[in-house]
Amino acid sequence: MSFIAELRRRKVVRVAAGYVVVGWLLTEVLTTVLPTVGAPDWVPRAVVLVFALGFVPAVVLSWFFQLTPEGIKRDTAAAAATGVPHRLTDYLTVGSVIALVVLAGYFTARQEGGNGQGAAPVAATASVAVLPFDNLSADPDNEYFSDGLAETLLHMLAQVPDLRVAAKTSSFAFKDQNRTIGEIAAALGVAHVLEGSVQRVDDEVRVNAQLIRASDGFHVWSSVYERTLDDIFDVQDEIARKVGFALTESLLGPASADLSVVQTESPDAYDLYLQAREQLTTYSYGGLTAAEDLLKGALLIDPGFLEAKTELASTYIRQVETGLLTPAEAFAEVRAITQQVLDARPGDAVAQALNTFADTMVRLTRGEAVNLNDLAAALEARVAEAPDALEPRILLVRAYTATGQEDEAVAVLEHALHDDPFNPRILYEIGTAYFDLDRLDAAEAALEQSLDIEAAQPNAHVHLALIAARTGDGVDFVRHVLDAMEVDPRDQELPGMLAEFLYGLELVAEGDDFRNRVVTIAPTSEVAYRTELLRAIAAGD
């Protein structure tokens, strides 16, 4: 009997074909179902490998055994024809089974041990990153709206119990980058990615959202919404709930039924609020002034818009740090605004942190005795209450710096960066903290990385200029200040820095160009008066 005929008689070909078909169907079903029920990421891969490794033993077993009406029996005709003793066939059979079990066990142990040394971290199944939604509107200025929608969804999903959501700034760092879903998910350590697009025409909005499993690109859920702007809050609620259920229904209990984040019923106020948050990203004179105007506009429409009040208070503190407002007037406003928020929502940790900080600063400006260590302790408590909020951490850093605890300030920022690794503001803050500690190389690296993510940061350019000045590189100093001026042309301190530098070199004519700019922007400012004095010294007057 020929070998081919013998294969047919023993039904080896039929078994091989059946194994491939059944194995393919089972692996397709299991690799789709297992992740949705919370199985670890290695389980679907183990299933595929077990079926692949089982092919050879299945074929070998079909050579020696036959399926009969009385059950599975050894093919005695096969043993007689080949001259292979029954004991040897037993050895081959048992050996095949043992090999399959050993290989499967080895793969499983390797996967389970992969979380140890040298292994890449496995993203939790209940984890998601919300990418900025694409703006498909004809007007590119509507991008703030698409970004704001994605950001609001992110904050809503962050309220789902046991669901880990990548921080907004790190997720948004991949905007306009040609990176695959798998690469983004690996960088952020998440198992799923929510992406989408927004098309807005007047008051009509079309939102397309899809939840993608990063391991295989499978669309877990997708939907399209065509609504009016008045319904945008309902759209946000619906997307957040459906994504939460799609990740795992067990995560959404009765307590998470209300996923609302922004407490306003006015689409116009919400629209201004989103525009203001867009303006705040650069920390520039122009951006901070525009944000203040937009937030005040939102509050005119909806005086009870608590998030707009908290954002306005934070804006005033940033204006103090950039010289737009004096501490006395700014901190009094911050204290009053945050008290309104706390009257309506006493447990708001961010408003509590802002209020405590502002109250301490008001008393300082009055000349009262203040214990800054008490301020640091109060802010530590607020950070513990709201570990995901950045503003209390930044205020704590300010308190640590004021009390000479620079190392503690750096530790707070490094912990924040671990949670949000692509946040340009955290990287900027770390750069300035390293600068204060005279760790210039580390400061420069952090500031450069911050600018790589958000280029329109004048203060990051200024600190790079200060690093250049401290290392004696005048050319780099001038270059970075000019870069800052290009980003923020309304800041009179920037041309003042160049005028002072050039007057120090007795380059009076060159310094006058920048002095004139200072006088044009802010003729009665402290910078203008100081620049006039420096010019007189340089000119020998």
Side-chain angles (χ1 to χ4, degrees):
M1 181 182 296
S2 69
F3 180 69
I4 299 299
E6 185 66 9
L7 287 176
R8 289 174 178 170
R9 187 190 71 79
R10 295 169 183 262
K11 300 183 177 62
V12 173
V13 176
R14 184 180 300 177
V15 169
Y19 186 94
V20 170
V21 172
V22 174
W24 178 78
L25 289 173
L26 287 175
T27 54
E28 281 293 303
V29 172
L30 290 175
T31 54
T32 301
V33 172
L34 287 173
T36 65
V37 297
D41 289 349
W42 60 264
V43 173
R45 293 195 292 271
V47 169
V48 173
L49 188 59
V50 166
F51 275 117
L53 295 175
F55 178 76
V56 173
V59 172
V60 171
L61 291 173
S62 70
W63 177 272
F64 293 105
F65 292 90
Q66 293 291 327
L67 182 61
T68 69
E70 291 78 21
I72 299 176
K73 292 185 177 182
R74 180 184 290 109
D75 189 346
T76 54
T82 57
V84 180
H86 290 310
R87 182 170 295 176
L88 183 55
T89 63
D90 291 339
Y91 291 156
L92 290 172
T93 301
V94 173
S96 300
V97 173
I98 292 175
L100 174 61
V101 172
V102 170
L103 285 172
Y106 169 75
F107 176 78
T108 302
R110 183 178 179 184
Q111 291 296 329
E112 290 180 338
N115 294 331
Q117 298 177 351
V122 178
T125 302
S127 57
V128 64
V130 182
L131 300 185
F133 281 26
D134 294 331
N135 174 33
L136 302 183
S137 307
D139 185 359
D141 291 338
N142 278 332
E143 191 150 332
Y144 77 88
F145 183 82
S146 55
D147 287 352
L149 175 61
E151 181 181 353
T152 302
L153 290 172
L154 185 151
H155 288 301
M156 295 170 78
L157 289 173
Q159 298 180 56
V160 178
D162 301 323
L163 175 62
R164 192 172 69 80
V165 183
K168 174 250 179 181
T169 40
S170 289
S171 297
F172 278 42
F174 294 93
K175 185 176 182 178
D176 299 328
Q177 292 192 20
N178 188 22
R179 304 283 289 274
T180 66
I181 293 295
E183 291 171 339
I184 294 173
L188 297 174
V190 296
H192 301 83
V193 170
L194 177 67
E195 65 173 6
S197 62
V198 178
Q199 188 171 12
R200 178 179 175 183
V201 180
D202 297 327
D203 289 336
E204 299 293 326
V205 180
R206 177 187 175 92
V207 179
N208 183 3
Q210 51 257 358
L211 181 67
I212 302 172
R213 189 169 62 221
S215 60
D216 55 10
F218 179 78
H219 280 60
V220 178
W221 165 85
S222 65
S223 189
V224 177
Y225 304 85
E226 294 183 352
R227 308 285 175 82
T228 64
L229 193 59
D230 292 338
D231 295 331
I232 193 61
F233 305 116
D234 294 335
V235 172
Q236 290 172 351
D237 292 344
E238 189 172 349
I239 294 175
R241 288 191 178 89
K242 286 190 175 182
V243 171
F245 278 115
L247 285 168
T248 167
E249 290 186 6
S250 64
L251 296 181
L252 283 173
S256 59
D258 182 13
L259 296 179
S260 59
V261 170
V262 179
Q263 303 293 330
T264 182
E265 297 298 326
S266 169
D268 292 333
Y270 177 67
D271 193 66
L272 293 175
Y273 170 79
L274 293 180
Q275 293 183 52
R277 289 183 63 84
E278 182 76 10
Q279 292 291 332
L280 286 171
T281 56
T282 62
Y283 225 122
S284 67
Y285 264 49
L288 291 173
T289 303
E292 178 187 0
D293 293 340
L294 290 164
L295 290 168
K296 287 180 175 178
L299 290 170
L300 280 174
I301 298 171
D302 183 0
F305 192 173
L306 299 183
E307 286 74 26
K309 290 182 178 181
T310 305
E311 203 69 63
L312 182 59
S314 179
T315 300
Y316 283 146
I317 289 182
R318 298 187 195 190
Q319 288 184 354
V320 171
E321 294 178 343
T322 54
L324 271 170
L325 287 178
T326 65
E329 58 183 337
F331 289 122
E333 287 285 344
V334 171
R335 189 171 62 174
I337 294 171
T338 52
Q339 190 57 54
Q340 294 176 19
V341 177
L342 293 173
D343 289 342
R345 194 162 58 196
D348 191 317
V350 176
Q352 288 176 346
L354 289 165
N355 185 269
T356 301
F357 187 84
D359 183 67
T360 303
M361 294 300 109
V362 166
R363 289 189 285 126
L364 269 178
T365 58
R366 292 175 179 171
E368 299 178 19
V370 173
N371 188 338
L372 292 177
N373 288 318
D374 290 343
L375 171 62
L379 291 172
E380 287 170 353
R382 301 291 84 78
V383 169
E385 291 173 12
D388 296 329
L390 180 58
E391 198 64 36
R393 288 184 178 184
I394 297 298
L395 296 176
L396 178 58
V397 166
R398 300 289 183 266
Y400 279 152
T401 303
T403 54
Q405 302 179 74
E406 287 85 359
D407 290 334
E408 287 81 357
V410 170
V412 170
L413 292 169
E414 289 178 341
H415 187 271
L417 189 64
H418 178 270
D419 296 339
D420 194 358
F422 300 101
N423 188 322
R425 186 182 180 193
I426 298 175
L427 287 164
Y428 164 75
E429 294 285 349
I430 286 181
T432 60
Y434 286 153
F435 178 81
D436 292 338
L437 292 171
D438 207 31
R439 296 169 57 182
L440 299 186
D441 289 342
E444 185 175 13
L447 292 167
E448 292 284 6
Q449 188 178 354
S450 178
L451 285 169
D452 286 342
I453 299 171
E454 175 54 71
Q457 293 185 85
N459 295 321
H461 286 295
V462 168
H463 272 83
L464 286 171
L466 295 176
I467 292 173
R470 189 171 290 186
T471 57
D473 190 341
V475 174
D476 236 21
F477 172 83
V478 172
R479 179 174 65 84
H480 283 301
V481 177
L482 288 173
D483 288 341
M485 287 174 58
E486 184 176 354
V487 172
D488 196 3
R490 296 177 59 182
D491 187 347
Q492 72 270 14
E493 293 182 355
L494 300 176
M497 290 176 65
L498 287 179
E500 180 177 349
F501 175 75
L502 293 169
Y503 288 147
L505 297 177
E506 298 184 355
L507 299 172
V508 178
E510 290 78 2
D512 283 348
D513 291 338
F514 297 100
R515 179 196 64 122
N516 294 337
R517 187 162 184 167
V518 173
V519 173
T520 300
I521 298 172
T524 61
S525 65
E526 178 187 341
V527 178
Y529 291 131
R530 186 172 68 247
T531 304
E532 288 294 333
L533 288 170
L534 292 171
R535 185 189 187 283
I537 294 171
D541 184 356

